[in-house]
Amino acid sequence: MTEFMDSTIELWDAWDKMRRESVKKAHNEYYTLCDEERKARREHGKDSAEAKALSREAREILESYSSFEWNELCRLDDDEIHERNVKAGKSLILDLYN
């Protein structure tokens, strides 16, 4: 069980670190699109096709991530990610054991 827990935590750590980098890039893209949308609304009107398309694209980015990933994961360092995964791994093993 310990080997299973350790390998699971290792995989979760790798996934979370990869996902964190993806979220950071997505944040940049999202905020750039939001800026472009505001500019399009000022220049072409609130209901312009361009503004709506930019809004839709920004919303799709936001919806690609869970609220935890979008709001918290991107701010965690490697140690904090590992701590969360160790706690979750121990909980998983206890659940399996029970």
PDB file of all heavy atoms in Angstrom, residues 13-35:
ATOM      1  N   ASP A  13       1.825  14.839  -8.168  1.00  0.00           N
ATOM      2  CA  ASP A  13       2.736  15.985  -8.140  1.00  0.00           C
ATOM      3  C   ASP A  13       3.095  16.427  -9.558  1.00  0.00           C
ATOM      4  O   ASP A  13       3.042  17.613  -9.881  1.00  0.00           O
ATOM      5  CB  ASP A  13       4.027  15.653  -7.381  1.00  0.00           C
ATOM      6  CG  ASP A  13       3.869  15.635  -5.875  1.00  0.00           C
ATOM      7  OD1 ASP A  13       2.816  16.066  -5.358  1.00  0.00           O
ATOM      8  OD2 ASP A  13       4.818  15.181  -5.189  1.00  0.00           O
ATOM      9  N   ALA A  14       3.456  15.449 -10.393  1.00  0.00           N
ATOM     10  CA  ALA A  14       3.835  15.765 -11.777  1.00  0.00           C
ATOM     11  C   ALA A  14       2.666  16.404 -12.529  1.00  0.00           C
ATOM     12  O   ALA A  14       2.842  17.401 -13.249  1.00  0.00           O
ATOM     13  CB  ALA A  14       4.311  14.502 -12.491  1.00  0.00           C
ATOM     14  N   TRP A  15       1.472  15.836 -12.359  1.00  0.00           N
ATOM     15  CA  TRP A  15       0.284  16.374 -13.031  1.00  0.00           C
ATOM     16  C   TRP A  15       0.007  17.806 -12.573  1.00  0.00           C
ATOM     17  O   TRP A  15      -0.220  18.694 -13.394  1.00  0.00           O
ATOM     18  CB  TRP A  15      -0.924  15.491 -12.760  1.00  0.00           C
ATOM     19  CG  TRP A  15      -2.197  16.097 -13.247  1.00  0.00           C
ATOM     20  CD1 TRP A  15      -3.132  16.746 -12.498  1.00  0.00           C
ATOM     21  CD2 TRP A  15      -2.666  16.166 -14.601  1.00  0.00           C
ATOM     22  NE1 TRP A  15      -4.160  17.195 -13.299  1.00  0.00           N
ATOM     23  CE2 TRP A  15      -3.898  16.852 -14.595  1.00  0.00           C
ATOM     24  CE3 TRP A  15      -2.160  15.705 -15.817  1.00  0.00           C
ATOM     25  CZ2 TRP A  15      -4.630  17.086 -15.752  1.00  0.00           C
ATOM     26  CZ3 TRP A  15      -2.896  15.947 -16.965  1.00  0.00           C
ATOM     27  CH2 TRP A  15      -4.111  16.630 -16.925  1.00  0.00           C
ATOM     28  N   ASP A  16       0.018  18.023 -11.262  1.00  0.00           N
ATOM     29  CA  ASP A  16      -0.288  19.350 -10.731  1.00  0.00           C
ATOM     30  C   ASP A  16       0.729  20.393 -11.174  1.00  0.00           C
ATOM     31  O   ASP A  16       0.363  21.529 -11.482  1.00  0.00           O
ATOM     32  CB  ASP A  16      -0.377  19.327  -9.202  1.00  0.00           C
ATOM     33  CG  ASP A  16      -1.637  18.644  -8.697  1.00  0.00           C
ATOM     34  OD1 ASP A  16      -2.584  18.455  -9.493  1.00  0.00           O
ATOM     35  OD2 ASP A  16      -1.674  18.301  -7.494  1.00  0.00           O
ATOM     36  N   LYS A  17       1.990  20.025 -11.237  1.00  0.00           N
ATOM     37  CA  LYS A  17       3.026  20.971 -11.684  1.00  0.00           C
ATOM     38  C   LYS A  17       2.830  21.327 -13.153  1.00  0.00           C
ATOM     39  O   LYS A  17       2.956  22.496 -13.544  1.00  0.00           O
ATOM     40  CB  LYS A  17       4.416  20.395 -11.435  1.00  0.00           C
ATOM     41  CG  LYS A  17       4.757  20.330  -9.964  1.00  0.00           C
ATOM     42  CD  LYS A  17       6.065  19.584  -9.723  1.00  0.00           C
ATOM     43  CE  LYS A  17       6.295  19.379  -8.239  1.00  0.00           C
ATOM     44  NZ  LYS A  17       7.498  18.563  -7.984  1.00  0.00           N
ATOM     45  N   MET A  18       2.507  20.315 -13.960  1.00  0.00           N
ATOM     46  CA  MET A  18       2.246  20.568 -15.377  1.00  0.00           C
ATOM     47  C   MET A  18       1.001  21.447 -15.533  1.00  0.00           C
ATOM     48  O   MET A  18       0.994  22.406 -16.301  1.00  0.00           O
ATOM     49  CB  MET A  18       2.049  19.250 -16.123  1.00  0.00           C
ATOM     50  CG  MET A  18       1.747  19.425 -17.590  1.00  0.00           C
ATOM     51  SD  MET A  18       1.154  17.910 -18.368  1.00  0.00           S
ATOM     52  CE  MET A  18      -0.456  17.730 -17.618  1.00  0.00           C
ATOM     53  N   ARG A  19      -0.024  21.123 -14.793  1.00  0.00           N
ATOM     54  CA  ARG A  19      -1.282  21.866 -14.872  1.00  0.00           C
ATOM     55  C   ARG A  19      -1.089  23.301 -14.387  1.00  0.00           C
ATOM     56  O   ARG A  19      -1.668  24.227 -14.947  1.00  0.00           O
ATOM     57  CB  ARG A  19      -2.324  21.138 -14.029  1.00  0.00           C
ATOM     58  CG  ARG A  19      -3.733  21.485 -14.339  1.00  0.00           C
ATOM     59  CD  ARG A  19      -4.163  21.013 -15.710  1.00  0.00           C
ATOM     60  NE  ARG A  19      -5.606  21.256 -15.803  1.00  0.00           N
ATOM     61  CZ  ARG A  19      -6.260  21.379 -16.920  1.00  0.00           C
ATOM     62  NH1 ARG A  19      -5.630  21.258 -18.065  1.00  0.00           N
ATOM     63  NH2 ARG A  19      -7.541  21.612 -16.926  1.00  0.00           N
ATOM     64  N   ARG A  20      -0.264  23.487 -13.353  1.00  0.00           N
ATOM     65  CA  ARG A  20       0.010  24.832 -12.826  1.00  0.00           C
ATOM     66  C   ARG A  20       0.612  25.714 -13.921  1.00  0.00           C
ATOM     67  O   ARG A  20       0.210  26.861 -14.097  1.00  0.00           O
ATOM     68  CB  ARG A  20       0.959  24.743 -11.634  1.00  0.00           C
ATOM     69  CG  ARG A  20       1.363  26.096 -11.073  1.00  0.00           C
ATOM     70  CD  ARG A  20       2.404  25.973  -9.986  1.00  0.00           C
ATOM     71  NE  ARG A  20       3.585  25.302 -10.485  1.00  0.00           N
ATOM     72  CZ  ARG A  20       4.519  24.767  -9.713  1.00  0.00           C
ATOM     73  NH1 ARG A  20       4.422  24.808  -8.410  1.00  0.00           N
ATOM     74  NH2 ARG A  20       5.566  24.180 -10.242  1.00  0.00           N
ATOM     75  N   GLU A  21       1.557  25.183 -14.662  1.00  0.00           N
ATOM     76  CA  GLU A  21       2.179  25.958 -15.737  1.00  0.00           C
ATOM     77  C   GLU A  21       1.161  26.275 -16.833  1.00  0.00           C
ATOM     78  O   GLU A  21       1.163  27.371 -17.390  1.00  0.00           O
ATOM     79  CB  GLU A  21       3.394  25.218 -16.300  1.00  0.00           C
ATOM     80  CG  GLU A  21       4.511  25.049 -15.294  1.00  0.00           C
ATOM     81  CD  GLU A  21       4.898  26.348 -14.599  1.00  0.00           C
ATOM     82  OE1 GLU A  21       5.107  27.374 -15.287  1.00  0.00           O
ATOM     83  OE2 GLU A  21       4.982  26.353 -13.355  1.00  0.00           O
ATOM     84  N   SER A  22       0.293  25.317 -17.117  1.00  0.00           N
ATOM     85  CA  SER A  22      -0.755  25.542 -18.105  1.00  0.00           C
ATOM     86  C   SER A  22      -1.697  26.656 -17.656  1.00  0.00           C
ATOM     87  O   SER A  22      -2.086  27.511 -18.455  1.00  0.00           O
ATOM     88  CB  SER A  22      -1.537  24.237 -18.312  1.00  0.00           C
ATOM     89  OG  SER A  22      -2.634  24.440 -19.145  1.00  0.00           O
ATOM     90  N   VAL A  23      -2.054  26.655 -16.379  1.00  0.00           N
ATOM     91  CA  VAL A  23      -2.958  27.683 -15.845  1.00  0.00           C
ATOM     92  C   VAL A  23      -2.301  29.052 -15.907  1.00  0.00           C
ATOM     93  O   VAL A  23      -2.942  30.050 -16.249  1.00  0.00           O
ATOM     94  CB  VAL A  23      -3.386  27.357 -14.393  1.00  0.00           C
ATOM     95  CG1 VAL A  23      -4.164  28.500 -13.782  1.00  0.00           C
ATOM     96  CG2 VAL A  23      -4.209  26.088 -14.348  1.00  0.00           C
ATOM     97  N   LYS A  24      -1.024  29.125 -15.589  1.00  0.00           N
ATOM     98  CA  LYS A  24      -0.319  30.414 -15.645  1.00  0.00           C
ATOM     99  C   LYS A  24      -0.352  30.992 -17.060  1.00  0.00           C
ATOM    100  O   LYS A  24      -0.599  32.182 -17.251  1.00  0.00           O
ATOM    101  CB  LYS A  24       1.121  30.262 -15.161  1.00  0.00           C
ATOM    102  CG  LYS A  24       1.232  30.083 -13.659  1.00  0.00           C
ATOM    103  CD  LYS A  24       2.684  29.933 -13.241  1.00  0.00           C
ATOM    104  CE  LYS A  24       2.813  29.770 -11.743  1.00  0.00           C
ATOM    105  NZ  LYS A  24       4.220  29.638 -11.331  1.00  0.00           N
ATOM    106  N   LYS A  25      -0.115  30.147 -18.058  1.00  0.00           N
ATOM    107  CA  LYS A  25      -0.181  30.605 -19.448  1.00  0.00           C
ATOM    108  C   LYS A  25      -1.605  31.017 -19.809  1.00  0.00           C
ATOM    109  O   LYS A  25      -1.822  32.023 -20.488  1.00  0.00           O
ATOM    110  CB  LYS A  25       0.304  29.501 -20.393  1.00  0.00           C
ATOM    111  CG  LYS A  25       1.788  29.258 -20.326  1.00  0.00           C
ATOM    112  CD  LYS A  25       2.203  28.126 -21.241  1.00  0.00           C
ATOM    113  CE  LYS A  25       3.680  27.813 -21.057  1.00  0.00           C
ATOM    114  NZ  LYS A  25       4.063  26.621 -21.827  1.00  0.00           N
ATOM    115  N   ALA A  26      -2.571  30.235 -19.339  1.00  0.00           N
ATOM    116  CA  ALA A  26      -3.970  30.538 -19.627  1.00  0.00           C
ATOM    117  C   ALA A  26      -4.388  31.862 -19.000  1.00  0.00           C
ATOM    118  O   ALA A  26      -5.160  32.614 -19.597  1.00  0.00           O
ATOM    119  CB  ALA A  26      -4.870  29.409 -19.130  1.00  0.00           C
ATOM    120  N   HIS A  27      -3.878  32.151 -17.803  1.00  0.00           N
ATOM    121  CA  HIS A  27      -4.175  33.441 -17.170  1.00  0.00           C
ATOM    122  C   HIS A  27      -3.729  34.582 -18.079  1.00  0.00           C
ATOM    123  O   HIS A  27      -4.486  35.544 -18.286  1.00  0.00           O
ATOM    124  CB  HIS A  27      -3.441  33.561 -15.831  1.00  0.00           C
ATOM    125  CG  HIS A  27      -4.198  33.007 -14.674  1.00  0.00           C
ATOM    126  ND1 HIS A  27      -3.917  33.341 -13.380  1.00  0.00           N
ATOM    127  CD2 HIS A  27      -5.223  32.125 -14.585  1.00  0.00           C
ATOM    128  CE1 HIS A  27      -4.719  32.718 -12.560  1.00  0.00           C
ATOM    129  NE2 HIS A  27      -5.521  31.962 -13.274  1.00  0.00           N
ATOM    130  N   ASN A  28      -2.524  34.481 -18.604  1.00  0.00           N
ATOM    131  CA  ASN A  28      -2.013  35.531 -19.490  1.00  0.00           C
ATOM    132  C   ASN A  28      -2.894  35.686 -20.730  1.00  0.00           C
ATOM    133  O   ASN A  28      -3.240  36.800 -21.118  1.00  0.00           O
ATOM    134  CB  ASN A  28      -0.565  35.243 -19.894  1.00  0.00           C
ATOM    135  CG  ASN A  28       0.392  35.393 -18.734  1.00  0.00           C
ATOM    136  OD1 ASN A  28       0.134  36.131 -17.787  1.00  0.00           O
ATOM    137  ND2 ASN A  28       1.496  34.678 -18.802  1.00  0.00           N
ATOM    138  N   GLU A  29      -3.244  34.560 -21.346  1.00  0.00           N
ATOM    139  CA  GLU A  29      -4.097  34.606 -22.537  1.00  0.00           C
ATOM    140  C   GLU A  29      -5.470  35.193 -22.193  1.00  0.00           C
ATOM    141  O   GLU A  29      -6.004  36.020 -22.939  1.00  0.00           O
ATOM    142  CB  GLU A  29      -4.275  33.197 -23.102  1.00  0.00           C
ATOM    143  CG  GLU A  29      -3.024  32.606 -23.698  1.00  0.00           C
ATOM    144  CD  GLU A  29      -3.215  31.154 -24.104  1.00  0.00           C
ATOM    145  OE1 GLU A  29      -4.368  30.743 -24.396  1.00  0.00           O
ATOM    146  OE2 GLU A  29      -2.215  30.416 -24.118  1.00  0.00           O
ATOM    147  N   TYR A  30      -6.023  34.768 -21.080  1.00  0.00           N
ATOM    148  CA  TYR A  30      -7.350  35.225 -20.660  1.00  0.00           C
ATOM    149  C   TYR A  30      -7.368  36.741 -20.452  1.00  0.00           C
ATOM    150  O   TYR A  30      -8.248  37.432 -20.968  1.00  0.00           O
ATOM    151  CB  TYR A  30      -7.756  34.497 -19.376  1.00  0.00           C
ATOM    152  CG  TYR A  30      -9.044  34.984 -18.776  1.00  0.00           C
ATOM    153  CD1 TYR A  30     -10.271  34.552 -19.280  1.00  0.00           C
ATOM    154  CD2 TYR A  30      -9.043  35.864 -17.697  1.00  0.00           C
ATOM    155  CE1 TYR A  30     -11.467  34.999 -18.731  1.00  0.00           C
ATOM    156  CE2 TYR A  30     -10.233  36.304 -17.142  1.00  0.00           C
ATOM    157  CZ  TYR A  30     -11.435  35.866 -17.660  1.00  0.00           C
ATOM    158  OH  TYR A  30     -12.612  36.309 -17.111  1.00  0.00           O
ATOM    159  N   TYR A  31      -6.402  37.247 -19.709  1.00  0.00           N
ATOM    160  CA  TYR A  31      -6.395  38.680 -19.420  1.00  0.00           C
ATOM    161  C   TYR A  31      -6.083  39.514 -20.667  1.00  0.00           C
ATOM    162  O   TYR A  31      -6.596  40.615 -20.823  1.00  0.00           O
ATOM    163  CB  TYR A  31      -5.453  39.002 -18.261  1.00  0.00           C
ATOM    164  CG  TYR A  31      -5.973  38.438 -16.961  1.00  0.00           C
ATOM    165  CD1 TYR A  31      -5.248  37.507 -16.239  1.00  0.00           C
ATOM    166  CD2 TYR A  31      -7.223  38.807 -16.473  1.00  0.00           C
ATOM    167  CE1 TYR A  31      -5.739  36.971 -15.056  1.00  0.00           C
ATOM    168  CE2 TYR A  31      -7.728  38.277 -15.300  1.00  0.00           C
ATOM    169  CZ  TYR A  31      -6.983  37.363 -14.598  1.00  0.00           C
ATOM    170  OH  TYR A  31      -7.487  36.829 -13.441  1.00  0.00           O
ATOM    171  N   THR A  32      -5.291  38.975 -21.569  1.00  0.00           N
ATOM    172  CA  THR A  32      -5.049  39.652 -22.842  1.00  0.00           C
ATOM    173  C   THR A  32      -6.348  39.734 -23.644  1.00  0.00           C
ATOM    174  O   THR A  32      -6.684  40.788 -24.200  1.00  0.00           O
ATOM    175  CB  THR A  32      -3.956  38.916 -23.649  1.00  0.00           C
ATOM    176  OG1 THR A  32      -2.738  38.952 -22.910  1.00  0.00           O
ATOM    177  CG2 THR A  32      -3.749  39.558 -25.007  1.00  0.00           C
ATOM    178  N   LEU A  33      -7.074  38.622 -23.701  1.00  0.00           N
ATOM    179  CA  LEU A  33      -8.359  38.619 -24.415  1.00  0.00           C
ATOM    180  C   LEU A  33      -9.358  39.586 -23.773  1.00  0.00           C
ATOM    181  O   LEU A  33     -10.101  40.275 -24.475  1.00  0.00           O
ATOM    182  CB  LEU A  33      -8.955  37.211 -24.440  1.00  0.00           C
ATOM    183  CG  LEU A  33      -8.281  36.232 -25.390  1.00  0.00           C
ATOM    184  CD1 LEU A  33      -8.790  34.811 -25.123  1.00  0.00           C
ATOM    185  CD2 LEU A  33      -8.531  36.623 -26.833  1.00  0.00           C
ATOM    186  N   CYS A  34      -9.371  39.643 -22.458  1.00  0.00           N
ATOM    187  CA  CYS A  34     -10.281  40.571 -21.762  1.00  0.00           C
ATOM    188  C   CYS A  34      -9.941  42.017 -22.103  1.00  0.00           C
ATOM    189  O   CYS A  34     -10.845  42.840 -22.326  1.00  0.00           O
ATOM    190  CB  CYS A  34     -10.226  40.355 -20.252  1.00  0.00           C
ATOM    191  SG  CYS A  34     -11.010  38.813 -19.722  1.00  0.00           S
ATOM    192  N   ASP A  35      -8.653  42.321 -22.165  1.00  0.00           N
ATOM    193  CA  ASP A  35      -8.240  43.676 -22.556  1.00  0.00           C
ATOM    194  C   ASP A  35      -8.664  43.983 -23.987  1.00  0.00           C
ATOM    195  O   ASP A  35      -9.167  45.072 -24.284  1.00  0.00           O
ATOM    196  CB  ASP A  35      -6.719  43.845 -22.420  1.00  0.00           C
ATOM    197  CG  ASP A  35      -6.250  43.879 -20.977  1.00  0.00           C
ATOM    198  OD1 ASP A  35      -7.095  44.103 -20.073  1.00  0.00           O
ATOM    199  OD2 ASP A  35      -5.038  43.688 -20.749  1.00  0.00           O
TER     200      ASP A  35
END
